[in-house]
Structures are given as C-alpha cells and as structure tokens.
Amino acid sequence: MFATLPDLLRLVVVPVFAWAAIRDVRTRRLPNRLWPPLYLFGALLLIWEAVSLWPFAGFDGRVFLLRAAISLLFVAPLGYAFWYLGAFGGADAKAMIALAVIFPTFPAYKLGSLVFPLVDTDIGVFSLTVLTNTVLLGLAYPFGLAVLNLARGEASSSMFFARPVATDSLPDRHGRLFEDPDGPTRGGLDLDALRMYLRWRGLTLADLRSEPGRLRDPDSVGETFEPTDGGTHVGPRTDGGRAVDDGAGSADSPPDFADPWAAERFLDEIDHGAYGTDAATLRDGLEVVAGADRVLVSPGMPFVVPMAVGLVVSLTYGDALFAVLGAVGLV
C-alpha cells in the first residue's frame, strides 16, 4: 500500500470506531475519555500536513486550507448542532467532531492499480463524505427492521419502527416503548428511564408486574435508591437509599391516587432528567409493562454504528451519494 504517512496513521481510528460501535450496541454508553485522544491525534496530523504545505502559496495549499476550514468550521459544529437540537446523542456528536478533525481532506491509498477511495468528490471534504454515507446507511435501518419483522411473521403498520418482544426481556433491552395504553405511539417510555424508575424504587420488573395494584399507590414507595443513568451495564441498586418522609402513606390519600406510581415524585427527586420523560409518559409506560406479556419496542440505532460502517465504506468505495448523483447526471 502507498499513502502519505498521515493518511496511513489515520487508519488507526477504524478499529477504534469499530470498538465504539460494538460497545454502543451492547450498552448504549461510550466513555467520555475516548474522545480527547482522538481530537489530539487529529489535530497533530492536521498540523503535520499544514506544516508540509506552508506557506499555502500554491493550489494544493489553498485547497487544503479550504477543505480543512469546511470540516472544522461546518461539519464539526454541525455535530454539536444536531446534539443541541436533540437529533444526536452526546457520544454521536463527539464522534462526528472527531471525524471532522481527523479527516478534513480525502485520504488516498494505492493498492496495486487501484486507488482508494474509489469515488472522490469535487468538494473533497472526507468528513462530509462519512456523514452522508452514514445518513444513507441510517435510512436503510427501518427497512432492515421491517424485513426482520416479516421473517418472524410480524407484519403490521409499525414493522418499520418497532418489533414485539417479551415484556420480561425489557431490563436487558435498549430503545423505547412504541405503545401506550391507547395503542402504538412514537412517544413511548424510554427503557433507560424505566430502569431508572425501578432502581429508584428498589424493584425488579417482575416485582412491578406481580403487584401493580399495590405499587400503583404512591404511598407504597418506601426507601428510595440511586437511579443511576438507566444503563443495562449497571445492576439493580439496593444501596445508597434514603428513607421516605414520615408523613408518606397517610390514610388521607384519595382512592384514585393524586400521583399514580409516584411518577411525579420520582422525577422531582432525581437530580437530573430521565431522557425527556414526563410523569404522564412514565405512568403510561408502567401501565403497559405491568399488564402485557408482549410489548412493541422501537430499538433505535446508535448513530455511532452506521458512522463506523460509513467510515469503512468511505475509505474503500468513497462517496456513495456523489456516485448516485453522478449516475443520474446531477453532478
């Protein structure tokens, strides 16, 4: 293989992103310490190339500056903007920023008579190519989910977005409920929030399903515990709790309960949000999981996963969107 040394070093991030994708699928959690070394690594490579092109007098130098500027001043802030608007998770935004720093321009790898990536673009901003490939892969995910549902005989109007699973399996799953007591909904309870609630009460899902009538009463809440962040990698918490106020559980509570499931109390007492969950969504989700043996779950797809695949596609094939637009004569 022939390539510049900076471009060869950039290949180091491929196994890093592969590891991140696998961990994200398993836990939906990526450590914050993963990203600063990647930012530093990319910055050093960027400085290396900038020094080699100094004083940017020729065409190559000016093009390098333009492409680096687009990557650092457009693609990287775009990742932050997506996170700010709620379209990305924090790790997804940090991963996108890392790619913008590490891959501001198209790398080139010559192997025999072939030069990879096979499809270049006129813009030549490689991080933008990774982003567009990632989006295309992400758009294919609902169709893959539909095929999986059809293979299992689960044809429905929801098959592009969710699949039915055993309720008892929810403690080990990621995603959100795709239903409430009134039927399918895209605004169902996040399963991380469900785990936070169960840990706060010191319950298992089996406990909740065995005694929903009693546990629906807010006065049934005894000692409460640290809810954690709801990740599956954390076991049930039965330490660090604090006793409820002595006045809780008085006989003056109305029969229909002012705060069913103590949902409002839970959200008031935790020191951070529960993935955007409000009291009504929490109550609806608890009613669903308490009474159904199978529920619809939208598993979602961590953006780091198609991003890792998109990186590999970009390094080998190149810009898929540019190739499609070229095939139809638009570029």
Side-chain angles (χ1 to χ4, degrees):
M1 178 181 288
F2 172 78
T4 65
L5 187 53
D7 281 349
L8 283 175
L9 291 174
R10 287 185 170 101
L11 295 178
V12 171
V13 305
V14 174
V16 174
F17 268 78
W19 174 86
I22 294 170
R23 180 183 171 92
D24 213 12
V25 168
R26 291 177 175 174
T27 69
R28 292 299 201 275
R29 302 293 188 278
L30 290 175
N32 287 327
R33 65 179 182 275
L34 173 64
W35 309 112
L38 290 180
Y39 299 154
L40 178 61
F41 178 66
L44 291 174
L45 293 178
L46 193 61
I47 293 171
W48 183 342
E49 290 185 318
V51 169
S52 68
L53 292 170
W54 179 263
F56 310 116
F59 176 78
D60 289 344
R62 291 193 294 270
V63 168
F64 170 81
L65 279 180
L66 177 61
R67 290 171 175 171
I70 293 173
S71 189
L72 297 177
L73 301 180
F74 174 72
V75 178
L78 194 62
Y80 177 83
F82 285 162
W83 167 80
Y84 184 80
L85 295 173
F88 268 7
D92 302 328
K94 293 170 186 175
M96 186 169 164
I97 293 170
L99 288 176
V101 176
I102 297 170
F103 287 104
T105 61
F106 255 75
Y109 305 97
K110 186 175 182 181
L111 189 61
S113 60
L114 296 176
V115 177
F116 298 96
L118 298 175
V119 179
D120 202 338
T121 68
D122 292 337
I123 299 174
V125 179
F126 191 71
S127 59
L128 195 57
T129 287
V130 177
L131 177 60
T132 56
N133 284 346
T134 299
V135 171
L136 290 175
L137 289 166
L139 291 175
Y141 177 71
F143 295 96
L145 185 60
V147 170
L148 178 62
N149 279 326
L150 286 174
R152 295 177 175 178
E154 303 285 356
S156 71
S157 59
S158 303
M159 65 183 184
F160 288 92
F161 310 104
R163 65 190 185 97
V165 301
T167 304
D168 291 339
S169 70
L170 294 183
D172 298 318
R173 291 188 180 275
H174 298 284
R176 66 174 56 246
L177 294 178
F178 202 77
E179 60 179 297
D180 61 19
D182 296 324
T185 176
R186 296 193 185 188
L189 178 63
D190 191 292
L191 297 185
D192 283 346
L194 173 63
R195 279 184 285 271
M196 289 176 65
Y197 174 81
L198 293 174
R199 291 168 186 170
W200 176 74
R201 293 196 65 169
L203 300 172
T204 64
L205 183 59
D207 294 333
L208 183 141
R209 285 171 53 77
S210 66
E211 297 184 281
R214 181 180 70 83
L215 297 176
R216 195 176 287 112
D217 184 348
D219 289 341
S220 67
V221 179
E223 186 179 13
T224 57
F225 303 88
E226 167 59 42
T228 76
D229 66 352
T232 57
H233 61 296
V234 180
R237 298 298 295 268
T238 56
D239 63 324
R242 45 190 166 67
V244 298
D245 296 336
D246 292 339
S250 68
D252 295 330
S253 299
D256 58 351
F257 309 132
D259 182 20
W261 299 103
E264 290 182 5
R265 178 181 165 188
F266 163 68
L267 294 172
D268 288 342
E269 289 191 4
I270 61 176
D271 59 3
H272 50 79
Y275 302 95
T277 300
D278 58 24
T281 302
L282 177 56
R283 292 187 189 113
D284 286 346
L286 292 171
E287 293 292 344
V288 169
V289 301
D293 292 329
R294 282 166 64 84
V295 293
L296 283 174
V297 169
S298 178
M301 172 58 70
F303 203 66
V304 170
V305 175
M307 196 178 295
V309 178
L311 175 59
V312 174
V313 171
S314 301
L315 287 168
T316 53
Y317 179 75
D319 196 302
L321 179 61
F322 193 81
V324 170
L325 294 177
V328 297
L330 294 180
V331 294

